[in-house]
Amino acid sequence: MSNSKQKLMGYMLSALKSHVSPIDYPAPVAELFTEEHLLSVRSLYDMSPFFGLGFLAANYAILEAASEQPSTNKLHVIYLAIGWEEECLDHLILFYMVSVRQAGNRSTLKITTVEDSFNSGQRLMMLWDRLRDLAAQRGVRLELNIVSQKLSELSRNSVVFEPDEVLAVNLAFKLHRMPDESVSAENTRDELLRRVKGLAPQVVTLVEQEMNGNTAPFPMRVGEALAYYEALLEYFESTVPRDNSKRAMAEEGLIRKLVNSVACEGRDRVERCEVFEEWRARMGMAGFQLKPLGPQVAESLKPWLGCWAWDPRFTVKEENGGFCFGWRGRTLTVASAWH
């Protein structure tokens, strides 16, 4: 048995123990909201092309929507709870590409982040001067708005808009941790989608893990978790040295995510991933239509594929209107755009 499979069996055993005897073997719940877990997830996203390329695909989809309105050079992107510094580097890539698209004109990129935590907004402000200077070097005027409110209260009254700007909302990896109708009558997952639709954005990007881990029966949920996390752990085992400290941190985050998704029920189950078809249904109920990612997005991603482009185990494909990133035949993340 490979080292990655041995690890997986150990993690799954721990999850099943917690499911059967939650008092004797308490599952991680509060840990998923700690700074330590935030750093672990950051390492996971940094080291896994399935996540990083998902972010990039979302950014390119936003730029594609902006290019469809050449009469303006103002782009406004709303992020929900940025949460960790490295994600801001995605913004650097974004406004660099904006400056290329709008060559010869001074572009404006406005970023609004909706934060329900004061500390998150404070951390973002500490980075902002540096980001603004880097944007200026690329001919982009950068604006930041931090809106402190609950995501369930998001509306056009809480965000400052200009009539001539292209509005985009980036929901990358945000929805799977929100409760749905199986947890609470409030159904904050679908309520947020309706509120985002009420903002009337030109494009909404969605990137999520491809795993049926929300309302599936328990045996199916266990099988899904086994297949999904086996692929991720096998990726790390095959491509990242064992003594890499960031790999160890990323795997710690994976442990918490796996155990929570299998061991917990009700509100304690924070990790509630769904497959793309389920997200399509939810987006449709909220009034969105799929905006297929064009060939320009695929072409733009090619320079970022690097060594993975030559590894047959890593897959990138367009399917049912979404971009799928996977390992050994298993799709791990899907990026899509909506309007």
Side-chain angles (χ1 to χ4, degrees):
M1 182 182 294
S2 68
N3 188 56
S4 60
K5 284 192 176 181
Q6 288 179 330
K7 286 183 179 180
L8 180 66
M9 291 302 105
Y11 301 158
M12 185 57 71
L13 179 61
S14 175
L16 292 174
K17 283 182 178 179
S18 295
H19 185 81
V20 174
S21 303
I23 296 178
D24 295 329
Y25 303 98
V29 179
E31 291 95 325
L32 269 70
F33 299 94
T34 63
E35 188 74 18
E36 180 183 6
H37 185 65
L38 203 65
L39 293 172
S40 296
V41 172
R42 185 179 73 190
S43 295
L44 173 63
Y45 289 2
D46 285 349
M47 300 181 70
S48 306
F50 325 105
F51 298 94
L53 289 171
F55 278 119
L56 278 172
N59 282 344
Y60 279 117
I62 289 171
L63 287 178
E64 187 174 62
S67 69
E68 294 169 356
Q69 301 190 46
S71 60
T72 181
N73 60 352
K74 295 180 179 179
L75 176 60
H76 185 176
V77 186
I78 298 177
Y79 288 83
L80 305 183
I82 285 180
W84 44 281
E85 294 86 344
E86 270 69 5
E87 190 170 342
C88 294
L89 299 181
D90 287 337
H91 304 160
L92 290 178
I93 297 169
L94 181 59
F95 57 62
Y96 173 74
M97 293 185 291
V98 171
S99 67
V100 171
R101 290 286 180 87
Q102 302 286 350
N105 297 317
R106 184 170 177 79
S107 303
T108 297
L109 174 64
K110 181 192 297 182
I111 293 175
T112 293
T113 173
V114 183
E115 303 285 344
D116 54 10
S117 165
F118 174 75
N119 290 334
S120 296
Q122 193 175 41
R123 183 168 57 237
L124 184 57
M125 285 301 299
M126 291 172 63
L127 288 171
W128 200 249
D129 287 342
R130 180 170 62 86
L131 295 175
R132 189 170 50 202
D133 290 343
L134 287 170
Q137 294 172 17
R138 293 164 172 81
V140 177
R141 181 172 178 268
L142 186 61
E143 298 179 6
L144 171 68
N145 294 316
I146 299 177
V147 177
S148 298
Q149 69 170 180
K150 295 180 179 178
L151 298 180
S152 59
E153 298 173 353
L154 182 66
S155 72
R156 288 192 69 90
N157 293 328
S158 58
V159 180
V160 178
F161 299 98
E162 294 182 32
D164 60 342
E165 63 188 15
V166 176
L167 179 63
V169 180
N170 192 328
L171 296 177
F173 302 112
K174 297 303 179 187
L175 294 179
H176 73 278
R177 285 169 61 113
M178 301 192 75
D180 70 341
E181 69 278 2
S182 67
V183 181
S184 167
E186 296 173 357
N187 192 359
T188 55
R189 182 174 293 193
D190 289 347
E191 173 63 22
L192 177 62
L193 288 177
R194 287 191 291 269
R195 287 188 171 273
V196 169
K197 182 62 178 177
L199 300 176
Q202 277 78 11
V203 63
V204 174
T205 53
L206 178 67
V207 190
E208 286 291 351
Q209 296 171 236
E210 181 74 356
M211 182 171 67
N212 190 3
N214 184 22
T215 58
F218 182 69
M220 184 182 296
R221 204 166 86 215
V222 172
E224 280 282 291
L226 274 171
Y228 187 90
Y229 287 104
E230 180 181 4
L232 266 181
L233 287 168
E234 201 277 336
Y235 162 76
F236 281 118
E237 184 72 17
S238 301
T239 63
V240 184
R242 293 184 183 182
D243 59 355
N244 186 306
S245 60
K246 292 190 72 174
R247 169 182 164 175
M249 189 177 294
E251 288 186 351
E252 288 173 5
L254 285 179
I255 297 170
R256 285 187 285 267
K257 287 164 71 70
L258 182 154
V259 174
N260 182 265
S261 67
V262 170
C264 298
E265 301 294 350
R267 289 187 178 276
D268 286 343
R269 180 142 54 91
V270 178
E271 291 289 321
R272 290 180 168 273
C273 298
E274 294 186 313
V275 294
F276 184 52
E277 285 304 310
E278 292 292 334
W279 291 119
R280 282 182 65 136
R282 288 190 185 278
M283 296 297 283
M285 287 189 295
F288 290 102
Q289 292 184 330
L290 187 65
K291 190 178 188 302
L293 299 177
Q296 194 170 15
V297 174
E299 194 64 29
S300 299
L301 283 175
K302 284 183 179 179
W304 301 98
L305 291 176
C307 60
W308 299 300
W310 313 109
D311 192 328
R313 296 171 296 180
F314 176 72
T315 56
V316 183
K317 61 181 178 179
E318 188 278 332
E319 193 170 89
N320 297 324
F323 264 53
C324 307
F325 305 95
W327 184 256
R328 287 190 179 275
R330 170 84 193 198
T331 296
L332 296 177
T333 60
V334 180
S336 57
W338 305 79
H339 61 86

